[in-house]
Amino acid sequence: MKIQEIAREAGVSPATVSRVFANPPNIREEVREQVFAVARKYGYHPRLSSKQQNVVIVSPYHEIYPIRSYVEMVISELALALSARGYRIEMLPQDNLGQLERIRFCGAVSIGIDAEEFGNWEERFAAPLIVVDRDAPAGPGEIYSVRSDENQAMALGVGCLAEHGCRRVGVIIYGKSGIGNAELRREAALSALRRCGLPVSGRLVRFALTESYVEEVGRLLKYGIDGLFCPGGDAGILAAYALSLYNRRIPDDISLVASERTMYSRYAIPPQTTITQDYAAQAAAVADALDSRLRGNPFPQRTVIPYRLIERDSVGGRHSVP
């Protein structure tokens, strides 16, 4: 279908149709909806423009899910990768998604937000959406995902503790059941325990947020753990504090593996062994997806990037559990 045909059926000029698809802020809402209604009716998607270089980064607001540290690290790498390729960045919080209708952009990047939150994306925007840290919906379309390998991450953390002689490992996943990656990590942690020949029990794999972290560490200690794996959030800080309250020394009494935090992990006493996402690789994959789609080239719908293990001093040898 041609723009002239859409214009004729929508009752507007071809120039107006072109302006609607360019998404400027001064188009009347009724005109915009009129044009998009015709486009949706015939399954028409305008060609992406390589001249428009604005990229909108959509971040979660704190009340939705407390992943602020992760978001900050991703954004810092995205800023470097996208600016190096000539893109201009515009920030938008998730609770202000309505503003997308008034912003001119060539692509959008969401961090830690499920793709379903964006509704009928392809019916509303002629631009790719790259969701970071979540999966893109199956099927053809302009929604892509870039995420880290959570199954591999849980295997790294549990495997490290098992290789250093831990025989009863507890896992505390930072988050709430049913929100974000929490359930995915739980199932992967249980599988990792099973593969390592360690005790497998729902009691040994728990969820916690900041306010309940000390209590959950205490519960695991009652089950006689000699290794603690704490993926997500600021768990490394919280776990170290909790273990000090329970008079457990790291790594003499209990080994600890956490998630990497740039300004804390290496400076903790002792420095913490951690798993870390490859934020630079994530940002490069996002930029590659934008470049490919704006040039009309195909790009994989889902990109999965492996974690890395950083070994430091918080994992010791065999323990005698009190």
Side-chain angles (χ1 to χ4, degrees), residues 265-295:
S265 300
R266 71 174 65 187
Y267 306 110
I269 302 175
Q272 293 184 352
T273 293
T274 59
I275 58 167
T276 182
Q277 299 189 49
D278 192 336
Y279 301 104
Q282 287 184 5
V286 169
D288 288 344
L290 289 169
D291 284 348
S292 295
R293 296 310 300 133
L294 292 177
R295 293 169 183 162

Side-chain angles (χ1 to χ4, degrees), residues 27-282:
I27 289 286
R28 295 201 315 275
E29 194 59 39
E30 59 269 25
V31 173
R32 187 193 308 274
E33 182 51 39
Q34 203 170 326
V35 170
F36 275 115
V38 176
R40 287 194 294 268
K41 177 180 176 182
Y42 293 101
Y44 177 85
H45 296 284
R47 294 178 62 184
L48 303 176
S49 171
S50 59
K51 296 180 181 179
Q52 175 59 258
Q53 294 293 299
N54 286 350
V55 174
V56 178
I57 297 181
V58 184
S59 63
Y61 50 99
H62 183 68
E63 288 76 13
I64 287 292
Y65 188 52
I67 57 171
R68 186 167 51 192
S69 297
Y70 170 77
V71 170
E72 289 170 355
M73 286 186 280
V74 173
I75 288 177
S76 66
E77 291 294 342
L78 279 174
L80 292 173
L82 294 178
S83 62
R85 305 205 194 182
Y87 294 105
R88 295 183 295 274
I89 294 174
E90 196 156 344
M91 299 297 303
L92 188 70
Q94 182 186 358
D95 57 347
N96 206 11
L97 283 178
Q99 291 296 322
L100 282 171
E101 301 284 357
R102 301 172 179 84
I103 300 173
R104 299 186 67 177
F105 61 94
C106 66
V109 182
S110 71
I111 305 172
I113 303 170
D114 292 331
E116 290 78 9
E117 296 291 326
F118 293 89
N120 300 319
W121 177 265
E122 292 170 318
E123 296 180 5
R124 299 163 59 201
F125 306 108
L129 169 66
I130 297 97
V131 292
V132 179
D133 197 44
R134 294 293 186 270
D135 281 327
E142 284 296 327
I143 302 180
Y144 305 85
S145 74
V146 173
R147 69 172 307 153
S148 296
D149 191 337
E150 297 298 334
N151 288 305
Q152 179 243 1
M154 299 304 102
L156 275 180
V158 172
C160 175
L161 292 167
E163 288 169 9
H164 283 79
C166 294
R167 290 296 172 260
R168 194 170 185 83
V169 171
V171 181
I172 300 181
I173 297 164
Y174 192 83
K176 291 182 179 180
S177 176
I179 297 179
N181 291 324
E183 291 292 346
L184 174 61
R185 287 180 170 178
R186 180 181 185 276
E187 293 306 314
L190 289 169
S191 295
L193 291 170
R194 194 173 294 111
R195 285 196 302 273
C196 291
L198 298 173
V200 180
S201 167
R203 298 181 305 175
L204 294 174
V205 181
R206 315 182 73 87
F207 299 111
L209 293 176
T210 302
E211 57 272 17
S212 60
Y213 217 93
V214 171
E215 182 180 356
E216 293 299 336
V217 170
R219 288 196 175 109
L220 285 175
L221 291 174
K222 289 181 179 179
Y223 297 133
I225 64 169
D226 57 356
L228 180 59
F229 177 36
C230 302
D234 293 318
I237 302 171
L238 297 170
Y241 173 66
L243 290 172
S244 71
L245 292 179
Y246 292 114
N247 199 29
R248 298 296 202 279
R249 295 170 301 167
I250 304 170
D252 298 332
D253 299 325
I254 188 165
S255 286
L256 174 67
V257 176
S259 290
E260 180 71 7
R261 286 295 168 259
T262 305
M263 298 306 295
Y264 176 78
S265 300
R266 71 174 65 187
Y267 306 110
I269 302 175
Q272 293 184 352
T273 293
T274 59
I275 58 167
T276 182
Q277 299 189 49
D278 192 336
Y279 301 104
Q282 287 184 5

